[in-house]
Amino acid sequence: MSKKKDKDITGRSRMARNLVGRWLGQIVVVVSGFVIPRMIDVNLGAVALGIWDFGWSTVSYFRYMGFGLAAGLNRFVAMYNAKEDVTNLRRCVSSTVFLQIFIASCVVLASFGVAALVPILFDEIEPAQVVDSQLVLIFLGCNLAVRMAFWPSRGILTGYHLWTVTAGVTAFGDIVMLVGMFAALKMGGTLAHLGMIVFGTAVITETIRVTMAKRVYPHPMISWKSVDRATMKEMIIFGIKNSIGGMSRLIVLQTTALCLAASAGPAALAVYARPVALFSHADKFISLYAFLLTPVAGSLQGLNRETELRELLLSSLQASFAMTIPAIVMLSGYGDAVIRLWMGEDYVVLALAPILGLAFLLPYAHAVAMRILVGVNAHGRVAVRSLMYSAIVLAICITVAFNIGWTPTVAAVVVCISMMAGPGISVVAGACKRFGVGFGDYLRGAVARPLLCNLPLIAIVLTSRVIDRDVTALDAAIWSAVGGSIVLVLYWFFIMPDSLRDKFRRRLGIRVSA
């Protein structure tokens, strides 16, 4: 009997379990994201925190040296596994591993090159901080190089729909890193020591991940007989399209951050980066769901189930809006209260959270559309249009910003306008066209129900801010709990699929009527 008949080869039956597992792992990342910046600020100061943010912003660009090769590997693993095509499965894995090793070497060289430019970029900081900044860039770059070299192991695990395994490994690494950084700062460590800990954690984590991948992938990770030029060309072309798909968001965020740092200094960047970090944590939880869809779409394409792909797009968009709207509403309404508790009054700018909430709403909600397009290898033109629109609008906004003067609020406005133009609108338009979904179908099938269910939450947030302009974090938590509870009840009746609702009832011991 074929394994297709023995189990769900598309991975849809594991999606709820995979999503919960990834969310649990992401909690560790969220804790680290809150704790580490605060520790750096308290122990090393705002300038050091700005340099730390600058280092991560810079290294983020190096990700695109990988052309998105390994990130798209799970699509090919899932597709060839569904087709039971072992030859092409081995070719795509071995070819990707070979390319990733080469790219990782280039990332190391790029890290040293950018580190040499630090004295030119930050001529106003002390010489000791210049050296620390250079070492941070080198260690963070080498951290990325290690992760890129071993990234195919993620593609293998997720291609077999084992997201919980790779999420567990990542969570373990984040815990080790958090403990190490806490100890280093308590013992008087510098930014360079923190960078060293990040690099060491990457080595440990990726070694474990490769070991886990070998347990499910019965072939050598790299076999020279399976390294194929035609396959490498296919993977590079696919990877470039995959890389461009996320490039518009990264270019907008990181270019804006670099412009703000260069014009207003690292301290201004630290203020701007805090609410961005809040929204990025929400984005992580939403994108964890989105990335589950790439191998699912790849499996459906391998099985020639086109109608199910259209249904997958609409149901995924509705689920994404259901996750995105309440997160954006609460962070927009109470982001300043969270930052005040987290970092102190010096990091609070009231306008930042609402502006950034408007900027990220559609890009976050529509991320699932791009991941499904990646799964069916139809993301190239959509990604190029998104990048083009974002780049043009960003260039115009940056020109205006330099004329009026850079501030954290100006940076947020630049991000808002640029993000709307690219990943906010163009991506979902391309996905709907590819799968034959009309604008009315999109509104009815994806937007209407989540939006209507969240109207009580929106009203509660607005009312609470009218009542108390300087709402505290505790008050914000209470208001959010009230509004969130109402939304959950409405989701239970109007959004949650019957199958998932029945599963919850069985888990709770509630009898389900026939």
Side-chain angles (χ1 to χ4, degrees):
M1 182 180 292
S2 172
K3 63 181 179 180
K4 295 178 186 178
K5 296 181 180 179
D6 294 335
K7 60 181 180 180
D8 175 23
I9 202 68
T10 68
R12 284 179 294 178
S13 63
R14 297 178 57 92
M15 281 190 65
R17 185 192 316 169
N18 284 332
L19 182 59
V20 172
R22 297 201 78 193
W23 276 354
L24 291 175
Q26 186 63 27
I27 291 175
V28 180
V29 179
V30 172
V31 172
S32 301
F34 278 103
V35 173
I36 291 173
R38 182 61 176 171
M39 290 194 303
I40 294 174
D41 180 59
V42 171
N43 291 274
L44 302 177
V47 173
L49 180 57
I51 293 171
W52 182 255
D53 292 332
F54 170 80
W56 281 109
S57 296
T58 303
V59 170
S60 294
Y61 278 107
F62 297 162
R63 291 180 180 273
Y64 286 90
M65 296 177 65
F67 302 114
L69 296 177
L73 178 61
N74 58 9
R75 180 256 177 184
F76 289 93
V77 171
M79 183 176 68
Y80 290 132
N81 189 39
K83 291 181 176 181
E84 300 180 334
D85 188 345
V86 176
T87 300
N88 279 319
L89 177 62
R90 296 185 62 175
R91 283 176 180 171
C92 70
V93 172
S94 293
S95 299
T96 301
V97 172
F98 174 78
L99 289 169
Q100 286 296 117
I101 293 174
F102 172 76
I103 292 167
S105 303
C106 295
V107 169
V108 173
L109 295 177
S111 301
F112 279 89
V114 174
L117 299 176
V118 168
I120 300 175
L121 295 173
F122 294 132
D123 56 352
E124 75 278 5
I125 63 177
E126 298 177 1
Q129 289 180 316
V130 170
V131 175
D132 270 352
S133 302
Q134 292 176 314
L135 291 174
V136 164
L137 278 167
I138 291 171
F139 281 123
L140 293 183
C142 291
N143 154 71
L144 178 60
V146 169
R147 296 185 186 280
M148 293 182 77
F150 292 95
W151 210 293
S153 61
R154 296 174 184 250
I156 291 171
L157 288 169
T158 56
Y160 281 93
H161 309 292
L162 298 175
W163 294 88
T164 52
V165 175
T166 188
V169 174
T170 300
F172 168 77
D174 288 334
I175 292 173
V176 172
M177 183 177 66
L178 180 61
V179 172
M181 295 178 76
F182 178 81
L185 288 172
K186 287 301 180 182
M187 291 188 293
T190 65
L191 286 178
H193 293 110
L194 301 186
M196 189 183 304
I197 291 169
V198 171
F199 170 68
T201 303
V203 174
I204 297 171
T205 303
E206 297 310 316
T207 301
I208 297 173
R209 202 185 317 271
V210 169
T211 302
M212 301 303 292
K214 288 182 177 179
R215 292 187 177 184
V216 297
Y217 181 68
H219 315 289
M221 294 287 286
I222 182 168
S223 170
W224 295 113
K225 293 182 180 179
S226 298
V227 175
D228 178 69
R229 287 187 178 182
T231 303
M232 283 194 290
K233 181 179 179 181
E234 180 184 9
M235 297 298 293
I236 290 173
I237 293 173
F238 180 87
I240 290 174
K241 294 189 294 184
N242 190 37
S243 181
I244 293 173
M247 191 176 291
S248 55
R249 185 187 299 189
L250 181 137
I251 285 180
V252 169
L253 291 174
Q254 304 307 332
T255 301
T256 302
L258 295 178
C259 288
L260 178 63
S263 180
L269 174 60
V271 172
Y272 160 79
R274 302 286 69 78
V276 172
L278 283 182
F279 283 98
S280 70
H281 289 312
D283 177 42
K284 290 294 184 181
F285 283 96
I286 299 164
S287 63
L288 290 178
Y289 170 67
F291 277 94
L292 293 175
L293 300 170
T294 296
V296 172
S299 298
L300 290 174
Q301 186 182 43
L303 298 171
N304 297 315
R305 299 178 182 176
E306 189 68 22
T307 302
E308 293 183 37
L309 283 168
R310 183 183 186 276
E311 296 171 355
L312 178 67
L313 175 66
L314 283 173
S315 63
S316 300
L317 281 170
Q318 178 173 271
S320 184
F321 270 107
M323 288 183 279
T324 302
I325 294 175
I328 292 295
V329 169
M330 287 188 281
L331 287 176
S332 298
Y334 303 126
D336 60 312
V338 176
I339 292 171
R340 186 178 293 108
L341 175 66
W342 173 27
M343 300 297 298
E345 190 66 38
D346 292 340
Y347 287 86
V348 175
V349 177
L350 292 177
L352 286 182
I355 295 172
L356 290 172
L358 183 62
F360 294 137
L361 174 60
L362 292 182
Y364 287 2
H366 291 160
V368 295
M370 179 59 79
R371 299 318 307 174
I372 292 174
L373 287 172
V374 171
V376 299
N377 196 13
H379 56 301
R381 292 183 179 180
V382 175
V384 170
R385 283 196 296 269
S386 176
L387 176 60
M388 181 179 65
Y389 297 151
S390 295
I392 292 173
V393 175
L394 178 64
I396 296 171
C397 291
I398 286 177
T399 302
V400 175
F402 273 111
N403 287 328
I404 65 177
W406 281 93
T407 66
T409 303
V410 170
V413 173
V414 170
V415 168
C416 181
I417 298 173
S418 304
M419 291 283 280
M420 277 297 178
I425 298 174
S426 63
V427 169
V428 74
C432 288
K433 181 179 179 180
R434 164 62 177 81
F435 296 106
V437 176
F439 183 66
D441 294 331
Y442 160 77
L443 290 178
R444 288 187 297 271
V447 182
R449 288 190 179 185
L451 181 59
L452 291 173
C453 288
N454 278 278
L455 289 180
L457 175 62
I458 296 171
I460 288 173
V461 171
L462 292 175
T463 302
S464 67
R465 293 315 301 247
V466 171
I467 295 174
D468 185 3
R469 182 175 180 272
D470 298 322
V471 64
T472 66
L474 178 59
D475 292 334
I478 294 173
W479 286 112
S480 297
V482 173
S485 299
I486 296 172
V487 170
L488 286 176
V489 171
L490 294 174
Y491 279 4
W492 174 270
F493 289 105
F494 298 108
I495 290 183
M496 184 175 291
D498 293 337
S499 58
L500 188 57
R501 191 186 301 121
D502 292 341
K503 183 180 293 186
F504 273 112
R505 285 171 173 162
R506 286 193 295 269
R507 292 287 178 89
L508 295 173
I510 301 174
R511 179 178 294 182
V512 181
S513 59

